[in-house]
Amino acid sequence: MDQNNSDHAEKLTVANRATLDAFARSLSTHATLTRAAYLRDTQRLAQAVHPAALPSLTRAQLARCLAQWHAQGLSGRSLARVLSSWRAFYRFLLSSSEYALQDDPCEHLKAPRAAKRLPSVLTPDETGQLLNENAESDMLLPARDAAMFELAYSSGLRVSELVGLNLAQLNLREAEARVLGKGNKERLVPIGERAIDALQHWLAARQGWLQDADEPAIFINARGKRLSVRTVQQRLKNHAIRKGLAQHVHPHMLRHSFATHLLQSSGDLRAVQELLGHASIASTQVYTHLDYQALAKVYDATHPRARKKDTGKTSKGGASRKDKPSSQE
């Protein structure tokens, strides 16, 4: 067993320790972090049910562990990760004749629903501050970055879609791009004027880095190769810091900001869904909550009935936003 998973090994039976060691060996091809999480979560399970044998656990026992950890403050998101580790563990046991396991105790087991977190977005002013870059720069790096960031925000692209975009998918004359999204689903997205200007300047300058005339990628590095997702993330993070933005800015925040700003100005949820490439309208509806939050802040700051008087009392006819509406409303 890994050294970092041996701190509490004294609370493991010999049989459970051997089972976990075998599981660890089966994970040799997994990513390091995934492997560590799987081993940590299954070892914690073994400690929680000690001295019971892991292969003999029932669905009820696993559900009881989840409930206890949830009561102790473990979030729904964390419990979902734990359950994913357990599923991997019991799949391993089922695949091995050594343990004679017939049924998967994780089957039909669900973690408590995780509270949905609203995505972080930039205000229009912050977006302007971030993107106010000289796209006409003679330097290739600023020209490329300006085109990337403008296009990501202008068209609401995922970072994987951005780096995967090829020249053949771009039609600047029609101000549109064909994007290959999740599940290899293609969608047509519009491109704004500022993004078009930045792209035209970058495509003219791109020749300076081009090593292979047949390279299809729009966004390349100094070696003439397609950019990686990690590079875009790092470039945007550093760019936001240089621009004086206090919060951590990542590529998906540009996509969230695109959707929120578009919904605020148009109110057309279905159109936003299509532009984002969401298979379900439910995925897009999160932006209605962000839109409401923005409107609520304006209301609180400007509406005479929303603000408290200097005496600290709520003005007549108004109620504090902290007050809950009655069940009849």
Side-chain angles (χ1 to χ4, degrees):
M1 186 176 299
D2 291 357
Q3 183 63 39
N4 59 2
N5 285 307
S6 63
D7 295 341
H8 304 286
E10 65 275 4
K11 200 178 177 182
L12 295 176
T13 63
V14 173
N16 280 345
R17 187 180 295 114
T19 302
L20 290 174
D21 284 343
F23 179 47
R25 289 192 294 272
S26 76
L27 298 174
S28 59
T29 59
H30 285 62
T32 302
L33 292 178
T34 301
R35 184 173 184 268
Y38 282 2
L39 294 177
R40 182 175 60 249
D41 293 335
T42 48
Q43 181 167 307
R44 184 180 180 186
L45 173 63
Q47 293 161 358
V49 300
H50 181 80
L54 289 171
S56 67
L57 295 183
T58 65
R59 186 176 298 115
Q61 287 173 298
L62 296 182
R64 193 177 304 118
C65 274
L66 289 176
Q68 288 174 346
W69 294 349
H70 188 49
Q72 292 168 6
L74 208 60
S75 70
R77 186 180 297 271
S78 296
L79 289 171
R81 189 213 67 227
V82 166
L83 190 52
S84 177
S85 299
W86 292 356
R87 288 192 177 110
F89 174 67
Y90 281 100
R91 281 197 301 270
F92 159 72
L93 295 185
L94 283 166
S95 68
S96 174
S97 58
E98 180 180 349
Y99 303 102
L101 199 65
Q102 299 298 321
D103 299 307
D104 184 355
C106 291
E107 190 176 6
H108 305 307
L109 202 58
K110 293 183 178 180
R113 186 181 296 272
K116 282 193 174 181
R117 293 186 298 179
L118 294 180
S120 299
V121 300
L122 298 170
T123 66
D125 286 344
E126 289 171 334
T127 305
Q129 181 182 346
L130 179 74
L131 300 180
N132 186 20
E133 187 79 8
N134 180 17
E136 300 300 318
S137 171
D138 291 331
M139 298 178 64
L140 272 72
L141 196 57
R144 183 203 66 192
D145 288 355
M148 282 195 313
F149 303 154
E150 284 284 1
L151 181 60
Y153 173 69
S154 171
S155 304
L157 302 185
R158 300 178 178 93
V159 65
S160 58
E161 296 169 347
L162 185 69
V163 299
L165 205 59
N166 292 328
L167 294 169
Q169 296 170 260
L170 199 63
N171 187 341
L172 296 184
R173 182 183 297 274
E174 298 296 329
E176 62 188 25
R178 286 182 293 105
V179 176
L180 200 62
K182 286 186 175 181
N184 287 328
K185 291 182 179 178
E186 189 176 81
R187 70 183 189 279
L188 201 63
V189 297
I191 306 174
E193 289 184 7
R194 293 192 179 184
I196 289 175
D197 291 342
L199 281 165
Q200 287 175 333
H201 183 70
W202 160 243
L203 291 176
R206 175 177 173 273
Q207 304 299 322
W209 278 348
L210 204 58
Q211 304 291 326
D212 181 358
D214 293 328
E215 172 58 55
I218 292 175
F219 299 111
I220 59 175
N221 57 28
R223 299 184 302 278
K225 302 298 183 182
R226 187 185 299 273
L227 279 186
S228 68
V229 167
R230 178 60 182 157
T231 297
V232 178
Q233 292 169 336
Q234 195 62 47
R235 293 296 302 170
L236 181 57
K237 175 185 175 182
N238 294 340
H239 180 73
I241 293 172
R242 193 173 74 251
K243 285 293 185 174
L245 293 178
Q247 58 183 313
H248 168 61
V249 179
H250 50 84
H252 218 65
M253 188 180 288
L254 293 180
R255 178 172 159 87
H256 291 323
S257 301
F258 157 84
T260 303
H261 300 165
L262 188 61
L263 186 60
Q264 287 173 345
S265 60
S266 72
D268 193 334
L269 192 63
R270 285 289 180 186
V272 174
Q273 177 193 3
E274 289 187 19
L275 291 172
L276 290 175
H278 284 162
S280 168
I281 193 69
S283 300
T284 317
Q285 284 175 330
V286 66
Y287 299 108
T288 63
H289 299 296
L290 292 173
D291 192 28
Y292 172 77
Q293 281 188 338
L295 292 174
K297 287 180 180 178
V298 172
Y299 178 86
D300 286 340
T302 60
H303 198 287
R305 292 294 195 184
R307 291 173 292 176
K308 293 182 179 180
K309 292 183 178 180
D310 294 337
T311 58
K313 296 179 180 179
T314 305
S315 58
K316 186 177 180 180
S320 166
R321 292 196 61 80
K322 293 182 180 179
D323 295 339
K324 293 182 179 179
S326 69
S327 58
Q328 295 178 346
E329 289 182 329

